[in-house]
C-alpha cells in the first residue's frame, strides 16, 4: 500500500515542480492520468473485491439515502439523533461513532434514510483511519451532508472535499459534457465544438496513451480540462449533490451568521438546539430532486397519504412500475 502512496506523492511533487504552460500541458495531463490510475488501485485493491468494513454496510431502504460526512466532533451524531430520533452515541471526545449508524425520517411523504458515518481524518482517501470504508458508503448515497463546525476554520471544508475528490466523488458538479467512444481502428479523432484553452490533439493522445487507448472518437462540447477527460475515461466517478451544514451557530454572532448565509450550498444550524432544521429539510428536498406521484384507485379519490416517490430524472412509466413491483412492467398493457 505504501508503495502506491509513495508513487502518488512522487508524481504530485513532480507536478508541483512543473511550470504550467502550453508546452508542459501534455506532460501534466500524463501525470494526472497516472495519479488517477494509482488512486483507482487504492480504491479497488487487486485480487478480488475489497473486504467489506465491519458494520459499515447498511441495507438501503427508503426513497433516498443521505450520508453525514465530517471530521470528528462536529455534531453529526447530535444532528442524526435530533432529526431522526435515533440514538447515536454522543460524547465530548473525538471518534465517538465507530460504525455507520442508520436513521430514517419521513418528509413530504418520502422515506429518507440518514447515515451517520464515523469522522474522517486527513489522508482518508489514502486509507488512513476508517476513511476508505466511510467514503465507500458515501459513494452509495443520493446526497451528502458535509457537517462542519462553524468555529473551526473553513479549510476543513477544503480538506474534506479533497478527500472525497480523491475517491472519485464529484460534489455539486455535473458529468463532463464529453462524448467518448472507443473503436478498433482509425487512431484518435478529436472534435471540438468550442475553442479549447487546455486540451489539444497532442495532449489528448498523451493522456489516452497512458491508458493504452490508441483508437477513439472524442467530442469536446465545452472548454474542458485534462481532469474532465480523465474522469470520462476512468468512468467510475460519482456525481453527487452536497449540502454543507455549518453546525454550532449558537456560539457565533448575528453578523457572522449573515456572512455564512452567503456561502453557496450551505445551511447554518444548531444541532443541539434544533435551530434552522426547517431550512435544512427544505434544501435537502430541493437537492434530492424527488417527485411525488399519487395513485388513484379505480372510482375512488386519489390516495394522498402514501405517494410513490421517484427521482426527477427517472420518472418514466417503467420506473414507476418497477418501484411498485418488478413484475408489473412485464404485464403492463
Amino acid at each position: 500500500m505504501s508503495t502506491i502512496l509513495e508513487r502518488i506523492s512522487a508524481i504530485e511533487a513532480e507536478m508541483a515542480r512543473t511550470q504550467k504552460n502550453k508546452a508542459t500541458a501534455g506532460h501534466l495531463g500524463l501525470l494526472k492520468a497516472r495519479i488517477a490510475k494509482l488512486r483507482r488501485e487504492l480504491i479497488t485493491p487487486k485480487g478480488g473485491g475489497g473486504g467489506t468494513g465491519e458494520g459499515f454496510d447498511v441495507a438501503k431502504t427508503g426513497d433516498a439515502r443521505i450520508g453525514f460526512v465530517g471530521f470528528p466532533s462536529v455534531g453529526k451524531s447530535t444532528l442524526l439523533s435530533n432529526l431522526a430520533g435515533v440514538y447515536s452515541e454522543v460524547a465530548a471526545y473525538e471518534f465517538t461513532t465507530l460504525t455507520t449508524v442508520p436513521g430514517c425520517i419521513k418528509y413530504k411523504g418520502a422515506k429518507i434514510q440518514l447515515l451517520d458515518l464515523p469522522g474522517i481524518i486527513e489522508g482518508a482517501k489514502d486509507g488512513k483511519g476508517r476513511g476508505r470504508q466511510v467514503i465507500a458508503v458515501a459513494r452509495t448515497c443520493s446526497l451528502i451532508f458535509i457537517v462542519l463546525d462553524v468555529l473551526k476554520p473553513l479549510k476543513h471544508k477544503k480538506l474534506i472535499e479533497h478527500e472525497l475528490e480523491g475517491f472519485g466523488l464529484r460534489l455539486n458538479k455535473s458529468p463532463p459534457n464529453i462524448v467518448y467512444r472507443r473503436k478498433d481502428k482509425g487512431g484518435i479523432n478529436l472534435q471540438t465544438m468550442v475553442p479549447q484553452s487546455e486540451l489539444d490533439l497532442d495532449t489528448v493522445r498523451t493522456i489516452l496513451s497512458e491508458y493504452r487507448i490508441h483508437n477513439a472518437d472524442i467530442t469536446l462540447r465545452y472548454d474542458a480540462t485534462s481532469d474532465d477527460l480523465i474522469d470520462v475515461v476512468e468512468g467510475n466517478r460519482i456525481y453527487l449533490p452536497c449540502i454543507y451544514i455549518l453546525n454550532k451557530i449558537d456560539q457565533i454572532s448575528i453578523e457572522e451568521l449573515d456572512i455564512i448565509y452567503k456561502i453557496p450550498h450551505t445551511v447554518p444550524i444548531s444541532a443541539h438546539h434544533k435551530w434552522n432544521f426547517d431550512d435544512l429539510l427544505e434544501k435537502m428536498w430541493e437537492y434530492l430532486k424527488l417527485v411525488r406521484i399519487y395513485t388513484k384507485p379505480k372510482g375512488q379519490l386519489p390516495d394522498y397519504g402514501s405517494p410513490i416517490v421517484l427521482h426527477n430524472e427517472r420518472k418514466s412509466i417503467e420506473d414507476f412500475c418497477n418501484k411498485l413491483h418488478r413484475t408489473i412492467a412485464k404485464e403492463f398493457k
Side-chain angles (χ1 to χ4, degrees):
M1 185 68 71
S2 60
T3 52
I4 294 182
L5 293 179
E6 281 159 16
R7 277 152 67 194
I8 288 176
S9 53
I11 296 171
E12 282 174 345
E14 189 182 338
M15 282 172 70
R17 287 196 304 270
T18 310
Q19 283 187 329
K20 279 188 180 175
N21 54 39
K22 272 280 190 226
T24 59
H27 180 60
L28 283 169
L30 179 75
L31 295 177
K32 283 177 181 172
R34 275 186 193 153
I35 285 187
K37 280 170 70 181
L38 289 168
R39 285 238 177 276
R40 186 174 25 157
E41 277 180 50
L42 269 180
I43 300 171
T44 51
K46 284 184 176 135
T52 55
E54 345 44 294
F56 275 75
D57 294 342
V58 175
K60 218 171 182 175
T61 60
D63 303 303
R65 184 180 217 183
I66 298 176
F68 292 19
V69 178
F71 284 118
S73 282
V74 290
K76 298 189 293 296
S77 301
T78 312
L79 179 60
L80 179 77
S81 303
N82 286 341
L83 269 178
V86 174
Y87 180 68
S88 178
E89 198 176 327
V90 178
Y93 53 86
E94 300 198 332
F95 297 108
T96 319
T97 307
L98 295 173
T99 61
T100 306
V101 179
C104 188
I105 54 168
K106 280 201 87 164
Y107 186 67
K108 295 194 177 182
K111 270 198 194 129
I112 295 164
Q113 186 182 35
L114 306 174
L115 297 180
D116 175 18
L117 300 170
I120 65 172
I121 54 173
E122 213 175 327
K125 64 181 185 306
D126 307 325
K128 280 189 189 161
R130 288 286 185 79
R132 189 177 296 121
Q133 294 106 312
V134 171
I135 300 177
V137 175
R139 282 173 70 97
T140 65
C141 295
S142 349
L143 170 67
I144 298 284
F145 279 175
I146 291 187
V147 187
L148 301 162
D149 188 334
V150 83
L151 302 171
K152 289 181 181 162
L154 262 181
K155 73 164 192 272
H156 282 189
K157 171 173 177 280
K158 284 258 188 318
L159 286 172
I160 291 178
E161 284 170 353
H162 184 64
E163 297 302 325
L164 295 177
E165 292 242 326
F167 243 82
L169 277 166
R170 301 288 177 263
L171 304 176
N172 293 329
K173 288 181 185 169
S174 44
N177 198 350
I178 297 176
V179 180
Y180 162 73
R181 200 173 72 244
R182 288 184 75 162
K183 51 187 187 177
D184 297 330
K185 54 178 188 283
I188 302 290
N189 177 26
L190 178 69
Q191 282 185 315
T192 53
M193 302 283 193
V194 294
Q196 298 294 317
S197 58
E198 189 176 323
L199 291 176
D200 55 18
L201 188 55
D202 290 341
T203 312
V204 169
R205 273 200 185 121
T206 311
I207 291 171
L208 291 180
S209 68
E210 178 61 29
Y211 287 97
R212 301 205 176 112
I213 297 168
H214 304 294
N215 304 295
D217 288 332
I218 288 173
T219 309
L220 305 176
R221 293 179 169 171
Y222 71 114
D223 186 3
T225 64
S226 47
D227 290 321
D228 295 337
L229 179 63
I230 290 166
D231 282 356
V232 171
V233 175
E234 281 280 339
N236 61 355
R237 303 298 189 237
I238 290 183
Y239 297 86
L240 284 180
C242 166
I243 296 174
Y244 301 100
I245 298 178
L246 291 171
N247 189 18
K248 308 187 185 175
I249 55 166
D250 48 321
Q251 300 174 24
I252 61 168
S253 66
I254 296 289
E255 292 77 26
E256 288 170 306
L257 190 58
D258 286 341
I259 296 167
I260 285 169
Y261 249 112
K262 292 183 179 132
I263 306 171
H265 311 297
T266 54
V267 180
I269 63 154
S270 167
H272 184 66
H273 295 288
K274 303 189 184 181
W275 291 354
N276 209 18
F277 276 15
D278 298 348
D279 201 8
L280 174 62
L281 291 170
E282 200 49 56
K283 204 164 191 111
M284 170 195 82
W285 183 260
E286 179 196 329
Y287 277 53
L288 282 172
K289 293 187 180 148
L290 297 178
V291 181
R292 288 166 296 177
I293 297 169
Y294 295 96
T295 52
K296 182 178 173 301
K298 216 169 185 177
Q300 292 171 27
L301 291 169
D303 172 17
Y304 287 119
S306 48
I308 306 294
V309 180
L310 297 176
H311 192 272
N312 203 2
E313 285 154 21
R314 294 184 293 277
K315 51 181 183 188
S316 65
I317 299 287
E318 189 182 353
D319 296 322
F320 177 76
C321 291
N322 287 338
K323 187 82 193 221
L324 291 171
H325 200 277
R326 290 277 160 83
T327 54
I328 294 182
K330 294 191 182 90
E331 297 158 9
F332 204 71
K333 290 188 176 61

